[in-house]
Amino acid sequence: MKVLVTGGSGFIASWIRRELAACGHQVLVFDHQDRRQQLADGEEFFLGDVRDATTVTEAAAHVDGIIHLAAVLGTQETINNPRPSAETNILGSLNVFEAATQYSLPVVYAGVGNHAMRLIGTGCYTITKSAAEDLARMYNLYRDGGRITIVRPVNAYGPGQSVAAPYGTSKVRKILPAFTCRALTGTEIEVYGDGTQISDCVYVGDVARVFVQALEHTAEYGPTERPVEVGPLESRTVNDIARLVAEQAALFTGLEPVGVKHLPMRPGEVPNAVVSSDTSTLQQIGMTAADFVSLDLGIRRTVDYYATQWLPGYREQGPSHSKGGVLQPGSVTVTMQSGDQILSAAEVARAVTRDRLGRA
């Protein structure tokens, strides 16, 4: 299949694109920012905004299926400014569903893992993403050509995820990059609330596999009866996740694990909340969460990524050498000379941290 990936330059999208290519599919990246310089070999780019119905319909005319990821993210961010999320997440999704139905294309729509929160009060992100799920069900039930499967990942994490302030330029704070960057720089991890809330995390490579398999299933058999929920078999608290990150980061820095600092919960967050998934729904597309990357291994891979791709540059060059005052992963180039020794990630991180602290 040739697959249109909306929001195709994002974190999850980048992993889905690789998975599509590995499965023999062609990729048409759809994004409102011109990032064609990031395309892999064989990929194509379509510049457009999902809020523009004509542009979406034109792009849909050139593909055999759609993975719809484009969205405005954030919890308290969308409370303070709800209009962009309403326009993109509802109207944009409506445009994608309408175009797909016109051409009878299979679609996989990225729902939201905390969909149940809309019943007890949450941000505009969850409200609008859940509204689009309702639209998808309407198309499947009442419109000829409606073939939309909903996939609901919980918190996706892994190498390549963008970093928010004060360590990066992303406008949305994500749990693993926030915890990891603080731990690697010897700063206490900030947790909103008492940390006993459940906020399940799933490795992004597993999320990508589910999306691609869900699209293949939808193309052959039609949409699944229930949303496909993507998460781990075992739930962990936010405190558990913070502890794992701190311990793993300490292996790189050679210092004691950082502590945890608890802060008041932000607007849109619910005390003692449980964000988890019904992994039995994966059976609809022939998958099981038992095959997913464990949280321990996933955090180890993630910390390794930030320790090697982000931390050395952040410490050695400082913020004055980075875009917007913050270095991004992959922004540092190391030139090797003949006879130079290649250090492990742990050795690099320990050397940088010790140099900063003046320790031998």
Side-chain angles (χ1 to χ4, degrees):
M1 284 189 291
K2 186 173 185 178
V3 181
L4 180 72
V5 182
T6 71
S9 299
F11 166 58
I12 295 177
S14 65
W15 284 79
I16 288 176
R17 286 158 51 188
R18 287 193 289 269
E19 182 68 18
L20 285 166
C23 293
H25 302 296
Q26 298 174 283
V27 176
L28 177 58
V29 176
F30 185 100
D31 205 277
H32 71 288
Q33 295 184 352
D34 192 345
R35 296 174 175 170
R36 67 192 72 198
Q37 72 277 5
Q38 299 176 2
L39 294 180
D41 291 342
E43 291 184 329
E44 299 176 19
F45 187 87
F46 196 108
L47 181 64
D49 194 308
V50 292
R51 295 174 296 178
D52 185 336
T54 301
T55 301
V56 173
T57 302
E58 182 181 351
H62 298 283
V63 297
D64 308 302
I66 301 174
I67 294 179
H68 176 37
L69 304 171
V72 172
L73 310 180
T75 301
Q76 73 275 11
E77 296 90 350
T78 59
I79 292 175
N80 296 329
N81 187 19
R83 188 178 299 276
S85 60
E87 292 175 345
T88 298
N89 301 352
I90 297 178
L91 180 59
S93 295
L94 181 66
N95 291 336
V96 171
F97 298 160
E98 187 66 23
T101 301
Q102 177 178 331
Y103 294 109
S104 192
L105 299 177
V107 178
V108 175
Y109 167 67
V112 61
N114 67 343
H115 59 97
M117 293 291 187
R118 72 189 190 282
L119 301 177
I120 54 178
T122 187
C124 195
Y125 171 67
T126 299
I127 294 169
T128 55
K129 293 288 285 182
S130 298
E133 287 193 16
D134 292 335
L135 288 172
R137 281 184 278 270
M138 181 195 77
Y139 274 88
N140 287 342
L141 287 170
Y142 304 117
R143 291 288 299 274
D144 291 338
R147 305 164 65 198
I148 307 166
T149 289
I150 299 166
V151 171
R152 292 174 178 162
V154 290
N155 298 294
Y157 73 96
Q161 195 165 20
S162 59
V163 179
Y167 302 105
T169 58
S170 175
K171 297 179 181 179
V172 179
R173 181 183 185 272
K174 290 295 185 178
I175 183 171
L176 259 299
F179 285 8
T180 302
C181 290
R182 295 186 75 86
L184 286 172
T185 54
T187 309
E188 285 184 318
I189 292 175
E190 293 181 341
V191 170
Y192 294 100
D194 63 9
T196 59
Q197 63 268 37
I198 301 293
S199 188
D200 278 347
C201 296
V202 60
Y203 191 68
V204 65
D206 295 321
V207 174
R209 291 196 300 115
V210 171
F211 270 93
V212 173
Q213 193 147 328
L215 183 65
E216 293 172 343
H217 178 280
T218 305
E220 186 169 356
Y221 303 107
T224 58
E225 292 185 9
R226 302 167 59 196
V228 178
E229 300 191 6
V230 192
L233 286 175
E234 179 185 356
S235 293
R236 309 286 280 273
T237 68
V238 174
N239 283 335
D240 291 335
I241 296 169
R243 177 182 54 79
L244 287 171
V245 170
E247 290 174 352
Q248 190 61 42
L251 297 178
F252 286 98
T253 63
L255 306 175
E256 290 297 316
V258 299
V260 174
K261 178 182 179 181
H262 293 278
L263 303 175
M265 300 199 83
R266 301 169 294 179
E269 297 177 332
V270 180
N272 303 313
V274 176
V275 178
S276 59
S277 56
D278 179 0
T279 57
S280 68
T281 58
L282 290 163
Q283 297 172 10
Q284 297 175 103
I285 58 172
M287 297 186 72
T288 172
D291 296 330
F292 288 176
V293 172
S294 69
L295 182 63
D296 294 54
L297 176 57
I299 286 179
R300 186 156 64 247
R301 291 177 179 175
T302 303
V303 173
D304 179 89
Y305 170 81
Y306 289 105
T308 57
Q309 302 299 312
W310 174 81
L311 180 63
Y314 181 80
R315 287 308 185 194
E316 291 178 353
Q317 294 191 20
S320 63
H321 294 274
S322 60
K323 180 181 179 181
V326 185
L327 281 168
Q328 295 299 303
S331 62
V332 179
T333 300
V334 178
T335 303
M336 300 296 295
Q337 302 292 334
S338 176
D340 284 353
Q341 180 182 6
I342 299 176
L343 302 178
S344 68
E347 290 170 326
V348 171
R350 281 196 292 268
V352 171
T353 304
R354 287 171 179 169
D355 178 69
R356 171 177 63 92
L357 299 175
R359 299 181 182 180

